[in-house]
Amino acid sequence: MTAATHSTLFPQVPETPDAVLDGLDPEQREVALALHGPVCVLAGAGTGKTRAITHRIAYGVRAGILQPATVLAVTFTNRAAGEMRGRLRQLGATGVQARTFHSAALRQLQYFWPKAVGGELPRLLERKVQLVAEAAARCELRLDRNELRDVTSEIEWAKVTQTVPADYPAAVAKTQRDAPRDPAVLSQIYSTYEQLKRDRSVIDFEDVLLLTVGILQDRSDIAEHVRGQYQHFVVDEYQDVSPLQQRLLDLWVGDRDDLCVVGDASQTIYSFTGATPDHLLNFRTRHPGATVVKLVRDYRSTPQVVHLANGLLSQAHGKAADHRLELVSQREKGPEPVYTEYSDEPTEAESTARRIRDLIAAGVPAGEIAVLYRVNSQSEVYEQALADAGVSYQLRGAERFFERAEVREAGTALRGAARAGRNDSLLDGAEDLASQVRAVLSTKGWTTRPPAGSGAVRDRWESLAALVRLAEDFEAAKPGATLTDLVRELDERAAAQHAPTVQGVTLASLHSAKGLEWDAVFLVGLTEGMMPIAYAKTDEQVEEERRLMYVGITRARVHLSLSWALSRSPGGRASRRPTRFLNGLRPGSAGAGTRGGVGGGGGIDRGSGRAAAERAPAVERKPRSPVRCRVCGRTLTDAGEMKLMRCEECPSDMDEALYGRLYDWRAAQATLLGQPDFCVFTEKTLMAIAEAVPSTEGELVVIAGVGNRKLSRFGADVLAICAGEAVDGRPEDGVDET
């Protein structure tokens, strides 16, 4: 074996089954050893869940407890499945199937179709958009490309939630879903689309799951065949399972209990696709004897990043919040998160680009830096700022701004209007440049008010709105500029950003950042209306936005920056407010109510059949709410700062004269008691009293370092001194404070 095979790219295969367990922490080791019965792994961000479950499978295989061909590991993306297969090979566990739900179902469907139905499996429709367009046309509707994407996504949602066309309007009303069209109209398109598929003998990806479920339900012999093949199941990212995928999983497992699921309800951010954390949260109810292991040791992020992530979730509400995990960083201390308020968006982008350039100069690779935002339309200003700063970048989850179809179409329309000049009737009455641009882009879908809901139509509007803002800013910077000047500016901007940038700073939406991590993360545009997004109306929609921000925070290993702009453009009215999610967490913000979560710390709860089901629930101590600086709002961890209820560097409003009187009184008390001064009150407690100036016992007792015992002994004197009264200085008898 060469030296290269011992590198991190080619690690040495463990020599023995026990060697597979080397390097696992206690909770990960429990996961690896829990090879029988239902197992639920609640794994927080950065806690090594993939490591735990791959070592679990590998240990079972290497120890001869599991047969490789009988294990099916299921995840949600081809990338994740490939990563799992690679790790299993490195651990010496070859032959294990690691697939997505769709891949595993398609394989079974292709094998059993001739026996169950007869003939060949219908052709798989790779892209359903064209057939949806034809269905809409038959319903006498003409949809543009973006509307087609939204309608197609809505049909996919209906199918994975097992909603038939006739029931779709009721399902929309029940879930308070923002439908891109009238639900009755969408129901008609959906029904026509299904009929067209039947007429042409084609199936779509959702049908792969539906048909597999149908065959396994109707043919017990085929179901038993599958259960004989696969006897042990592992499901990753279980919080993202849809009702249809859960139904398929139930049919695979049957009445057995060899099932291990892994997930984190606090990372449920895809409910708009049909994903729900309910299956994860209700796992113990469905499987009373399950072993539950909590992974909370965070190996990814510094204590400072983890502390902010925990603080964010401590303010959450709802069922998922009740099961949140309190992460504990395993890394050395790092820099505090940086909170920055800017006057306008361009300043925010330019400053972010400068800070990124400084990080790169300090040795942080560009590929280890990310700028994350809520919607793709926010990328343009950061693309430009990074290009101006000479920093390479790459977009993830979206085309470059100037390569988006709607932007190209808008450019063509603006170029045509510029050539036509005043001969274009569209520009009649549009005197200034911005008005001309609005008039042209109104033909491409831009309106003064954004469309309701999310999806492609909203993304298209955001892109066009960005061009309108660009025109306004361009005209403000160059009074008298014409449409021709603006088109030239757009061409120059597009050309400057066409250089290939394979390695560079990542620009990504928060949704597309899931599952990734970087050394430095910049969360930008954190204003109300963007985070949470304006169309998040219900409590649950707002909570999902909070979880989305949590995912963004936990992508950072070391450096984390959070920023917002008070106005859109320079000189604009400062009407924006920073996101409510940072209230009580960022310096200078008003505190928000926090709540404990039963998820608490890590550990193992081993189920044992009926006994576990009948066991009384354990009483769990709720974690103490964080102590926050009463001046800047930062969470306090130093004991002295916690007594003062403020950071050392924050300005003190202490009554110096009162502190002097308390100091002299303490010295007299200590002399009378024959004890050191600090046994009466520490200096920090005296300072806290002099800053708070309590007037009642209730106000005094809550000051750190006082408490009920010292209140009963010294409270009357302290309150009298705070009120400016004289005291005799003699302590009460019968209490020994040491």
Side-chain angles (χ1 to χ4, degrees):
M1 187 172 289
T2 65
T5 60
H6 291 277
S7 71
T8 55
L9 291 176
F10 301 97
Q12 186 177 13
V13 174
E15 295 182 359
T16 65
D18 287 343
V20 173
L21 304 177
D22 291 346
L24 299 181
D25 69 30
E27 292 78 30
Q28 292 172 344
R29 190 181 181 92
E30 287 291 338
V31 174
L33 293 173
L35 292 170
H36 299 289
V39 178
C40 179
V41 183
L42 301 176
T47 58
K49 67 178 179 64
T50 305
R51 176 180 175 83
I53 59 175
T54 52
H55 281 69
R56 177 182 188 271
I57 296 170
Y59 177 75
V61 169
R62 296 287 300 276
I65 301 171
L66 304 177
Q67 297 302 312
T70 67
V71 179
L72 178 60
V74 188
T75 188
F76 283 82
T77 66
N78 289 321
R79 179 184 63 82
E83 179 185 358
M84 192 175 292
R85 287 192 295 268
R87 292 199 190 193
L88 289 170
R89 283 196 301 271
Q90 293 169 358
L91 293 170
T94 57
V96 174
Q97 294 293 315
R99 296 180 175 275
T100 64
F101 270 101
H102 281 89
S103 173
L106 180 59
R107 195 172 185 225
Q108 293 174 17
L109 196 60
Q110 290 170 331
Y111 183 82
F112 290 112
W113 185 269
K115 179 179 179 180
V117 181
E120 294 185 359
L121 180 70
R123 179 174 60 87
L124 184 63
L125 192 64
E126 294 290 341
R127 296 181 67 254
K128 59 175 70 72
V129 172
Q130 291 179 337
L131 209 57
V132 172
E134 186 173 342
R138 292 199 178 189
C139 297
E140 300 182 350
L141 288 172
R142 183 181 179 86
L143 305 178
D144 65 25
R145 185 177 64 89
N146 292 285
E147 290 173 316
L148 279 173
R149 281 172 48 194
D150 287 346
V151 171
T152 300
S153 296
E154 202 66 9
I155 290 174
E156 291 171 352
W157 174 83
K159 297 186 75 167
V160 300
T161 56
Q162 302 177 83
T163 303
V164 298
D167 294 340
Y168 172 77
V172 169
K174 181 179 180 180
T175 59
Q176 296 182 286
R177 188 173 178 82
D178 285 321
R181 284 263 176 169
D182 180 84
V185 174
L186 273 170
S187 174
Q188 186 181 8
I189 297 174
Y190 178 14
S191 178
T192 306
Y193 166 76
E194 291 296 313
Q195 184 61 52
L196 285 172
K197 285 198 291 121
R198 288 190 292 270
D199 293 344
R200 298 176 187 182
S201 297
V202 295
I203 59 175
D204 59 27
F205 276 101
E206 289 69 46
D207 290 330
V208 170
L209 301 184
L210 285 163
L211 291 170
T212 305
V213 165
I215 289 176
L216 295 178
Q217 285 181 160
D218 295 342
R219 294 289 298 268
S220 59
D221 57 329
I222 293 177
E224 288 306 314
H225 186 121
V226 172
R227 292 166 192 158
Q229 166 79 48
Y230 296 117
Q231 301 169 17
H232 193 92
F233 297 85
V234 177
V235 184
D236 194 12
E237 302 288 1
Y238 193 55
Q239 77 277 352
D240 290 333
V241 166
S242 70
L244 179 56
Q245 290 166 331
Q246 180 62 47
R247 182 64 189 134
L248 178 58
L249 179 63
D250 289 341
L251 289 166
W252 282 342
V253 176
D255 58 2
R256 299 166 298 172
D257 61 5
D258 282 330
L259 172 65
C260 174
V261 300
V262 188
D264 179 10
S266 296
Q267 297 189 68
T268 305
I269 59 173
Y270 298 113
S271 66
F272 58 90
T273 67
T276 171
D278 289 348
H279 306 298
L280 175 67
L281 299 179
N282 297 333
F283 190 83
R284 191 65 179 272
T285 302
R286 299 179 66 202
H287 304 277
T291 295
V292 178
V293 184
K294 296 177 182 177
L295 303 183
V296 298
R297 301 175 196 247
D298 188 318
Y299 297 95
R300 175 187 298 159
S301 305
T302 64
Q304 287 72 19
V305 173
V306 167
H307 196 75
L308 176 59
N310 287 338
L312 179 68
L313 288 189
S314 73
Q315 301 176 357
H317 300 275
K319 190 174 181 180
D322 290 339
H323 293 77
R324 70 182 181 86
L325 298 168
E326 189 86 8
L327 300 179
V328 181
S329 175
Q330 305 299 298
R331 296 193 56 164
E332 294 294 324
K333 289 184 177 180
E336 290 286 346
V338 176
Y339 303 84
T340 312
E341 184 174 274
Y342 294 100
S343 58
D344 53 74
E345 286 182 7
T347 302
E348 182 182 10
E350 292 162 8
S351 297
T352 298
R354 285 196 299 270
R355 292 186 57 201
I356 288 173
R357 189 173 58 191
D358 292 342
L359 280 176
I360 295 172
V364 180
E368 288 294 345
I369 302 174
V371 178
L372 305 182
Y373 35 77
R374 178 59 180 84
V375 296
N376 287 328
S377 62
Q378 292 173 274
S379 74
E380 191 270 339
V381 67
Y382 290 93
E383 294 177 51
Q384 184 61 46
L386 289 171
D388 290 345
V391 176
S392 61
Y393 65 87
Q394 52 187 333
L395 280 168
R396 179 179 177 85
E399 308 94 340
R400 292 175 182 271
F401 180 81
F402 287 104
E403 293 175 3
R404 297 172 190 165
E406 61 269 22
V407 175
R408 291 200 303 269
E409 293 170 7
T412 300
L414 290 170
R415 194 170 288 106
R419 284 196 299 267
R422 286 299 176 183
N423 295 324
D424 191 338
S425 60
L426 188 63
L427 302 182
D428 291 348
E431 297 300 327
D432 56 26
L433 175 61
S435 298
Q436 294 171 11
V437 171
R438 293 189 200 101
V440 173
L441 297 189
S442 65
T443 66
K444 299 300 178 183
W446 179 83
T447 57
T448 55
R449 299 184 63 180
S454 57
V457 171
R458 176 73 180 225
D459 286 345
R460 177 185 177 88
W461 182 90
E462 293 282 4
S463 295
L464 297 178
L467 288 175
V468 171
R469 293 195 297 267
L470 181 64
E472 293 169 349
D473 295 342
F474 185 69
E475 185 175 32
K478 297 184 177 181
T482 65
L483 263 181
T484 301
D485 297 329
L486 177 64
V487 168
R488 187 180 303 113
E489 172 71 11
L490 291 174
D491 290 342
E492 291 175 358
R493 284 176 174 245
Q497 296 175 25
H498 280 167
T501 52
V502 177
Q503 291 296 326
V505 173
T506 299
L507 297 179
S509 70
L510 287 164
H511 280 103
S512 64
K514 177 74 166 62
L516 303 174
E517 58 187 79
W518 296 270
D519 284 344
V521 169
F522 290 80
L523 298 182
V524 299
L526 299 178
T527 59
E528 287 289 311
M530 195 59 74
M531 177 57 67
I533 199 73
Y535 48 79
K537 302 296 186 184
T538 67
D539 290 344
E540 179 48 41
Q541 288 169 342
V542 170
E543 287 305 313
E544 180 152 338
E545 292 289 300
R546 187 193 307 275
R547 295 194 294 269
L548 185 59
M549 185 168 169
Y550 172 80
V551 167
I553 289 172
T554 55
R555 300 310 94 193
R557 298 191 190 105
V558 181
H559 304 279
L560 177 62
S561 174
L562 305 97
S563 64
W564 57 92
L566 297 179
S567 67
R568 178 180 58 79
S569 56
R573 186 165 63 91
S575 58
R576 293 175 173 176
R577 292 182 294 118
T579 174
R580 71 191 76 168
F581 296 150
L582 291 178
N583 288 347
L585 300 176
R586 64 180 178 86
S589 64
T594 61
R595 61 196 305 273
V598 301
I604 305 98
D605 185 359
R606 298 181 183 85
S608 55
R610 183 179 299 274
E614 297 173 351
R615 185 171 55 233
V619 177
E620 299 184 64
R621 175 180 291 179
K622 292 186 177 182
R624 182 178 298 171
S625 296
V627 178
R628 307 191 189 283
C629 173
R630 55 191 169 81
V631 179
C632 72
R634 183 177 71 85
T635 300
L636 304 177
T637 55
D638 177 77
E641 292 184 337
M642 291 170 72
K643 283 195 174 185
L644 289 175
M645 293 293 289
R646 64 171 175 82
C647 306
E648 286 280 9
E649 60 270 24
C650 282
S652 170
D653 54 356
M654 183 175 66
D655 184 332
E656 296 287 348
L658 173 58
Y659 178 79
R661 294 196 301 272
L662 289 169
Y663 190 92
D664 293 341
W665 167 84
R666 183 186 69 162
Q669 291 290 311
T671 300
L672 289 170
L673 293 170
Q675 295 176 350
D677 290 358
F678 67 81
C679 289
V680 181
F681 286 122
T682 66
E683 290 191 17
K684 294 288 188 184
T685 300
L686 288 186
M687 293 174 66
I689 294 171
E691 291 183 354
V693 194
S695 60
T696 66
E697 288 187 351
E699 293 173 352
L700 177 58
V701 75
V702 297
I703 295 175
V706 178
N708 289 320
R709 295 180 67 192
K710 290 192 176 182
L711 176 69
S712 66
R713 186 167 200 190
F714 304 122
D717 278 5
V718 170
L719 290 173
I721 294 170
C722 290
E725 301 170 2
V727 296
D728 61 13
R730 294 188 60 82
E732 296 290 334
D733 295 329
V735 180
D736 181 18
E737 285 288 340
T738 59

